[in-house]
Amino acid sequence: RWWLDHRRDGEGWEIYGCSWESGQDVSSRFGPQQTGGTIIQHLRPVDLQASIAQSAALLASWAEMLSLTYTDETVPNPYPADIAFWQEVANEFTEKTRLMWRDGWFHDYDSVRQVWSSERDAMHLAPIFCDVADQSQIEQLRSTLAEPPRHSSQWAPLSWPPVVLTLIGATAAVHMPQEAAELAYRFIDSSFRSTDSRELDEYGGLPGVTREYRRTITKGKWGEIDYANAGIEGYGWGALSVHLLIRHLLGLYATDPDTIVLAPTMPQALRRLGATYTVAPIPWGKHILSFTCQIKNAHNYEATFHIRPRIQADPLEEKTEEQSEMVGEQEHHWEGTWGEERTFLLDH
């Protein structure tokens, strides 16, 4: 709560101290900067207001879940007050974000010059990703998701991981799963081709080591734009490819702690007749998941989804017959169409 007050300007808007703090180093949307450490506290960024609203809503929902399990009879339940506090923050910043809508786009605001930014950036799609844009705003931005603007006026939309997460998350949020899957595949493919290489790339990058961002390259007769790994080695952002694979190609997510939804949506390039794809093991709370699908045709697939509880016993200890049967284990088989949702309940 201290942080919320510490980083607000005089009128209650959230601000970045500098562009390094935003993760968007020296972005042109923040105005002239000597370095990423240049003070930009005069600017009210759209994506920051939206992310505060989203984060507060998450904290309110977690406090609600904790409240339902609170059993201490000696101390009053503290979570209802937390729910109310964070929901108030979520409501405040949802409203603030929507007020930044001008002429069919979300714009940053310069509080010193008192002008709205004219720049359009892929990060301005954050209100959709953060679930704070209203329906009218979403409908006006829907077509933009297919051809998003560049980031910081010079970077292609799939160059930087934070931008990729925002763009693909926004695309999925407006119920465009196929488009989200195609974008995710393009990012994953460019990452994997470099990471799985058996030799150094042209810049001496080590195979098997994740990189900072994706540079654009041209290929083919018509100069098609593609991406390749670039930048500093050893960044944890490589985890984004794993997230995109699980969330947008498998369509795997949770609606609550006891429920899993699967909505596989393979990109066109992977829908090769008879091809089989398996993702395993996927640690999921107290469970281990595995998913296999075989391509039947352009529209259909056959799938097997396996759920088993994690074994906490000593791995060297001989298992009993009852343990071997894996109480709570589930295996599901079905034939489905791409993007079709199926719901599964987890056993405890």
Side-chain angles (χ1 to χ4, degrees):
R1 297 183 183 186
W2 169 85
W3 186 88
L4 281 168
D5 294 331
H6 178 66
R7 278 300 185 204
R8 291 197 189 197
D9 66 15
E11 296 181 19
W13 295 79
E14 285 295 320
I15 53 175
Y16 293 126
C18 61
S19 63
W20 282 338
E21 198 173 75
S22 75
Q24 302 165 58
D25 303 358
V26 203
S27 171
S28 60
R29 59 184 286 231
F30 300 137
Q33 302 160 76
Q34 292 180 324
T35 71
T38 300
I39 299 300
I40 58 168
Q41 295 182 8
H42 61 284
L43 195 76
R44 298 170 182 173
V46 172
D47 50 329
L48 181 56
Q49 316 310 314
S51 65
I52 292 294
Q54 180 191 49
S55 299
L58 285 170
L59 288 168
S61 68
W62 295 343
E64 186 172 1
M65 286 189 285
L66 289 169
S67 181
L68 294 174
T69 63
Y70 190 77
T71 58
D72 189 342
E73 297 180 358
T74 63
V75 179
N77 187 342
Y79 294 112
D82 285 338
I83 297 169
F85 175 83
W86 289 115
Q87 191 57 57
E88 184 179 350
V89 173
N91 295 341
E92 175 189 352
F93 281 91
T94 295
E95 182 180 358
K96 277 182 162 66
T97 304
R98 292 177 179 178
L99 289 173
M100 304 183 83
W101 179 263
R102 293 285 188 282
D103 302 321
W105 193 258
F106 286 105
H107 294 270
D108 303 315
Y109 183 71
D110 186 325
S111 62
V112 172
R113 296 170 56 215
Q114 298 185 334
V115 296
W116 293 93
S117 169
S118 60
E119 186 166 336
R120 294 195 173 196
D121 191 288
M123 287 301 291
H124 289 150
L125 299 170
I128 300 179
F129 173 50
C130 296
D131 195 26
V132 296
D134 67 29
Q135 195 59 42
S136 172
Q137 293 163 349
I138 289 173
E139 291 307 317
Q140 292 183 67
L141 290 176
R142 187 182 294 273
S143 61
T144 304
L145 294 166
E147 294 290 338
R150 301 176 78 81
H151 169 58
S152 185
S153 73
Q154 61 174 320
W155 295 97
L158 297 182
S159 292
W160 287 95
V163 185
V164 173
L165 179 66
T166 301
L167 170 60
I168 297 177
T171 305
V174 298
H175 308 296
M176 296 168 60
Q178 187 60 53
E179 291 82 353
E182 296 293 346
L183 288 168
Y185 170 71
R186 193 174 182 192
F187 182 85
I188 295 167
D189 184 56
S190 65
S191 302
F192 188 78
R193 277 187 282 108
S194 178
T195 303
D196 197 50
S197 172
R198 294 300 185 264
E199 57 187 32
L200 299 179
D201 65 23
E202 59 186 293
Y203 293 95
L206 290 171
V209 179
T210 186
R211 302 288 285 280
E212 184 181 12
Y213 64 91
R214 310 291 177 265
R215 59 186 172 89
T216 54
I217 57 176
T218 55
K219 67 174 188 178
K221 180 179 179 181
W222 307 109
E224 180 184 356
I225 296 296
D226 198 4
Y227 295 86
N229 281 351
I232 302 169
E233 294 176 331
Y235 264 65
W237 287 342
L240 178 60
S241 292
V242 178
H243 165 75
L244 295 177
L245 170 65
I246 293 174
R247 177 62 185 87
H248 298 294
L249 270 62
L250 298 190
L252 178 63
Y253 65 96
T255 56
D256 60 62
D258 300 326
T259 308
I260 286 179
V261 175
L262 264 175
T265 309
M266 286 291 179
Q268 295 292 338
L270 296 184
R271 296 186 190 180
R272 295 190 289 270
L273 183 63
T276 299
Y277 302 99
T278 297
V279 181
I282 305 173
W284 196 271
K286 297 180 179 179
H287 301 80
I288 297 291
L289 315 178
S290 66
F291 176 80
T292 297
C293 79
Q294 182 178 49
I295 311 300
K296 301 293 291 183
N297 52 52
H299 306 288
N300 300 89
Y301 64 90
E302 284 186 356
T304 299
F305 183 45
H306 190 213
I307 306 171
R308 63 179 176 83
R310 294 198 194 200
I311 300 268
Q312 301 298 330
D314 186 340
L316 299 179
E317 181 182 334
E318 185 176 348
K319 294 182 177 63
T320 65
E321 184 176 345
E322 290 76 11
Q323 287 175 319
S324 298
E325 291 177 356
M326 297 288 288
V327 175
E329 185 171 3
Q330 303 179 44
E331 188 166 279
H332 304 273
H333 303 274
W334 73 94
E335 182 171 326
T337 57
W338 301 115
E340 174 188 5
E341 291 190 347
R342 289 180 177 266
T343 301
F344 304 90
L345 297 179
L346 297 174
D347 290 335
H348 294 283

